[in-house]
Amino acid sequence: MNDLGQDLELRLVRYFTVVAAHRHFGRAAADLHVAQPALSRQIQRLEKYLGTRLLDRTPQGARLTPAGETFLPRAETLLRAARQAEQAVRAQNATERIAVGYVEDLVITAAVRELRRRSPDAEITTRHLSCRDVGALSDKRVDALIARAPLPLDDDDVTTTPLYDEPRMLVVPRDHPLAGRASVTAEDLAGEEVAPCAFETAHWTSYQLLGAGVPPIENYEDKLELVANGGAIAVLPVGDRRSSLRPDLVTVPVEGAPPSQVVLVSRKGDQNPMIRNLRLAAKAALAAPAAPVAPAASAVPVVPAVAVASAVAVAPTGL
């Protein structure tokens, strides 16, 4: 039985056709620039909607079921019709438009405002994305993405424009021994164990959770709760202010650590003129946020960035 009240999603149909073409979930996931577990869940959603299995896993990869064999040509026809409909409408409508995706805690209001000033007649929309939704660029749900690098996207497929760098900060409970420090270095964190990350987008390397015996946790608020309860500490970009909303958490600058880079990414070869306008607007309007003011304390020696990078190996965004 399908999901009541929901329509068939073209994205899920496209995922199915790619898996069917490769006959392998891993190769299909690489082609789609999504994580294999996430792709498997999307295929399961499609199968739940249709009320039948479309693919069987085999030791060699994946095999179409009889229902999958029946659905595949119709799925390809559906996707082809959708592309033709989109192209026909776009050809008829000369209005410039762009959909800008942005991730989690990043604030892009200044860039969008500047873009509207530069292109007052354009249709400009924004879309807030979770860390899992980086595929929105490949799927053409957005025309450009503002996020933290590096991203799990092939350099051959995208154009990346650096916008600004952010220093790192440590987030600890208010009663933590490091909470009163003016800053911390790699030596202060060298003994901490790197916690596993539950997110499939493991290439995103802006955040780190440190602590022994920490289970994979997906929800950001749950991770802050874990930090507040003394179960872990966190290293994240200074631009992420969500931890400052909690009075039981303290942020401390991390000295000498390699910065987190915020970038604008678009599909390579995209001829949409609004992408260039967005690039100019973002570079003009967005700037790195100021580092948080830590509690006054004695001076801490600064160590080279290479040392910090080895001791504080940053991990997936989304904390």
Side-chain angles (χ1 to χ4, degrees):
M1 181 178 295
N2 63 19
D3 297 330
L4 295 178
Q6 295 188 4
D7 295 324
L8 182 62
E9 294 186 35
L10 289 178
R11 178 170 61 95
L12 303 185
V13 176
R14 176 171 173 260
Y15 283 3
F16 164 72
T17 61
V18 175
V19 176
H22 286 281
R23 295 296 200 272
H24 193 279
F25 275 86
R27 290 193 291 270
D31 191 3
L32 291 164
H33 304 295
V34 299
Q36 183 173 335
L39 176 59
S40 296
R41 286 197 297 271
Q42 299 308 313
I43 295 299
Q44 290 169 2
R45 282 186 58 200
L46 178 61
E47 291 174 330
K48 181 181 178 182
Y49 178 89
L50 294 174
T52 185
R53 288 190 63 80
L54 300 174
L55 293 155
D56 285 331
R57 290 184 179 273
T58 69
Q60 293 74 34
R63 178 179 59 209
L64 286 170
T65 65
E69 294 281 4
T70 299
F71 184 60
L72 179 58
R74 292 164 174 80
E76 292 171 338
T77 300
L78 178 62
L79 293 174
R80 188 161 50 250
R83 284 193 296 270
Q84 291 171 348
E86 178 184 355
Q87 292 168 358
V89 172
R90 288 186 180 277
Q92 191 174 32
N93 187 353
T95 301
E96 291 184 325
R97 56 171 51 82
I98 188 171
V100 185
Y102 63 102
V103 176
E104 297 282 350
D105 57 289
L106 291 178
V107 178
I108 65 168
T109 307
V112 174
R113 184 182 296 119
E114 174 63 16
L115 181 60
R116 294 187 191 282
R117 187 189 69 79
R118 293 169 180 250
S119 306
D121 297 325
E123 180 182 315
I124 302 167
T125 59
T126 59
R127 182 164 185 165
H128 179 267
L129 304 173
S130 75
C131 297
R132 303 172 187 272
D133 287 334
V134 67
L137 183 64
S138 302
D139 290 347
K140 299 186 178 182
R141 286 176 283 154
V142 298
D143 300 299
L145 174 66
I146 297 178
R148 291 186 173 90
L151 300 172
L153 297 171
D154 194 321
D155 289 341
D156 293 336
D157 298 332
V158 298
T159 298
T160 301
T161 302
L163 297 179
Y164 60 86
D165 291 340
E166 298 174 290
R168 310 294 178 104
M169 64 182 178
L170 179 70
V171 179
V172 295
R174 189 165 290 278
D175 59 356
H176 192 276
L178 297 177
R181 298 283 292 272
S183 62
V184 295
T185 66
E187 293 178 355
D188 300 311
L189 305 175
E192 298 289 346
E193 181 179 330
V194 177
C197 181
F199 284 103
E200 292 89 354
T201 51
H203 297 82
W204 291 41
T205 56
S206 293
Y207 290 69
Q208 181 70 70
L209 200 62
L210 305 176
V214 178
I217 302 173
E218 294 192 12
N219 185 275
Y220 181 89
E221 286 70 25
D222 287 341
K223 294 184 179 184
L224 288 185
E225 184 67 24
L226 181 68
V227 173
N229 286 324
I233 58 178
V235 176
L236 58 155
V238 300
D240 190 331
R241 302 296 192 185
R242 289 175 288 182
S243 61
S244 66
L245 300 177
R246 296 190 57 136
D248 52 357
L249 296 177
V250 172
T251 60
V252 182
V254 178
E255 296 286 355
S260 170
Q261 188 175 64
V262 175
V263 298
L264 187 155
V265 186
S266 61
R267 292 181 294 274
K268 187 162 289 186
D270 195 328
Q271 299 301 311
N272 186 345
M274 289 297 294
I275 293 175
R276 177 180 179 276
N277 293 345
L278 173 63
R279 188 177 296 119
L280 294 173
K283 293 179 74 171
L286 297 183
V293 179
S298 58
V300 179
V302 176
V303 299
V306 173
V308 177
S310 61
V312 188
V314 289
T317 194
L319 190 54

